[in-house]
Amino acid sequence: MMQLSADRRPLWWLLLGLLSASVNDCRRVCVFHFSASSLSPSSAFLSSSPLSSHPSPYVRRGQRVPSRTVTLKSATTAEEGSATSTSTAVEVEESFIKGPLRKAAMKLHTRDQSKEGEQKAQTPVKKWDPTLADYLQFLVDSQHVYAVLEDLVGADEALSSLRNTGLERREALEKDVVWITEEFAPSKGVQLTRPEVASPGKEYAETLQQAAKESIPRFVNHFYNFYFAHTAGGRMIGKRMAELLLDGETLKFYQWEGDVKALLERTSGAIDALARSWTESERQACVDETAAAFKGGGAVLSHLSPKQQ
């Protein structure tokens, strides 16, 4: 198993430690109504829900879709008013995100982050003091990575369902970088110029380009981890940086139009639909890319990590 270097763990571990919470926020709830003649699903997420009983348009003819059997119970009332309980077994499709991808992430979580974690507990960060210049570099590198993600998704029709998810961050980050360099820093008597993209951002962008060229499933793992982790631990990091460096100002980077949970739900459905079109080996390739996704994201976050003495 790929191990992440200790100097890159603390902040990325915080971010990833909350990724499972982000995934759990995206759970689909499917309520089944029973009648004498039919069993039909009713859900607010039927259009994209992996729990829908309708065949997925992405499933290849003859392909087996991963599924599990659940028992649904309902109560019926006899004429005399006495209640009886009945149950029906229904097979539902398994969510790729909540299943294999989450399990892969748990293998890289520490045991103090999750009882399912398989890594040793880490020593908490006692001092966290990045400068405004450090934070600006992190934002510039992050924007570069998000720009590459958006461009790759826009260029490949196989990824068309991942376009315009509402999670895109390139434009928001551009506004933030301009605000910091042209307004906030000067107001504090600090002169900051926009830095070039540093090695962590460049190298992770190259990793993304190579993954997209060689394997769509591998690329989707990076897409999922980078976008979803930002909505969880990423927001906590943003709040802390705002308190330390920006007089409490919340950047556009941490603001979305509409309900971010709804955006995550729709994007989760799109990823699950893609996964249902893959072969077993393609699904495994996606899962196996998890460590590389953690490493790339952790490298970008290293701009905020405690400096080595």
Side-chain angles (χ1 to χ4, degrees):
M1 181 185 299
M2 182 182 296
Q3 298 292 325
L4 305 187
S5 59
D7 62 322
R8 290 181 177 176
R9 281 186 174 181
L11 295 184
W12 189 237
W13 241 236
L14 166 65
L15 191 154
L16 292 168
L18 291 166
L19 178 58
S20 58
S22 175
V23 175
N24 287 335
D25 284 340
C26 298
R27 288 180 295 181
R28 282 140 180 81
V29 180
C30 197
V31 181
F32 290 79
H33 299 287
F34 292 83
S35 68
S37 59
S38 67
L39 173 65
S40 62
S42 172
S43 171
F45 310 114
L46 278 180
S47 60
S48 62
S49 171
L51 298 186
S52 171
S53 63
H54 302 289
S56 167
Y58 297 92
V59 178
R60 298 167 181 159
R61 185 179 299 276
Q63 179 180 348
R64 180 183 179 277
V65 178
S67 61
R68 59 190 176 87
T69 300
V70 297
T71 300
L72 305 175
K73 295 184 178 181
S74 66
T76 57
T77 304
E79 292 182 1
E80 294 81 3
S82 60
T84 60
S85 177
T86 61
S87 62
T88 302
V90 178
E91 191 172 80
V92 295
E93 295 174 19
E94 178 186 33
S95 167
F96 183 62
I97 284 181
K98 292 190 295 180
L101 277 189
R102 184 176 185 277
K103 290 178 182 177
M106 287 300 103
K107 289 183 179 180
L108 295 180
H109 277 68
T110 58
R111 286 191 285 271
D112 56 324
Q113 289 178 324
S114 170
K115 63 182 180 181
E116 300 174 62
E118 298 184 17
Q119 299 290 322
K120 292 182 179 179
Q122 299 296 306
T123 302
V125 177
K126 295 181 179 180
K127 188 176 182 181
W128 192 10
D129 56 356
T131 65
L132 185 58
D134 293 331
Y135 192 38
L136 180 61
Q137 185 67 69
F138 162 72
L139 296 175
V140 168
D141 275 31
S142 295
Q143 188 199 33
H144 182 64
V145 173
Y146 280 110
V148 170
L149 282 166
E150 291 178 30
D151 289 344
L152 291 171
V153 168
D156 195 326
E157 283 304 311
L159 297 168
S160 61
S161 61
L162 301 182
R163 297 172 188 165
N164 303 315
T165 63
L167 299 176
E168 292 80 12
R169 298 289 85 197
R170 173 164 43 185
E171 292 183 6
L173 278 162
E174 178 62 26
K175 294 177 181 177
D176 290 335
V177 170
V178 170
W179 177 76
I180 289 175
T181 56
E182 298 183 6
E183 296 184 39
F184 182 75
S187 74
K188 299 298 181 180
V190 178
Q191 294 302 313
L192 282 179
T193 57
R194 184 185 193 126
E196 295 294 324
V197 178
S199 294
K202 288 181 179 179
E203 291 173 4
Y204 191 34
E206 290 171 0
T207 296
L208 294 174
Q209 291 166 337
Q210 191 67 22
K213 179 180 179 180
E214 296 176 352
S215 168
I216 289 299
R218 284 174 51 203
F219 172 79
V220 168
N221 184 299
H222 292 276
F223 179 97
Y224 159 69
N225 275 295
F226 206 71
Y227 277 106
F228 278 55
H230 175 61
T231 68
R235 284 196 285 184
M236 289 189 65
I237 291 173
K239 181 179 180 180
R240 182 59 175 154
M241 292 297 100
E243 294 169 350
L244 287 173
L245 305 170
L246 302 176
D247 294 339
E249 183 74 22
T250 300
L251 295 181
K252 302 293 185 184
F253 187 28
Y254 308 100
Q255 301 177 49
W256 291 263
E257 293 186 11
D259 182 0
V260 70
K261 289 185 179 181
L263 300 179
L264 290 169
E265 287 164 357
R266 287 197 294 271
T267 307
S268 293
I271 293 174
D272 276 339
L274 276 174
R276 289 196 292 272
S277 73
W278 299 336
T279 64
E280 286 302 315
S281 62
E282 288 172 330
R283 289 165 65 91
Q284 189 59 49
C286 179
V287 171
D288 290 344
E289 195 72 7
T290 300
F294 281 21
K295 180 180 178 181
V300 174
L301 267 169
S302 68
H303 292 301
L304 305 181
S305 297
K307 302 298 184 289
Q308 296 294 322
Q309 300 298 324

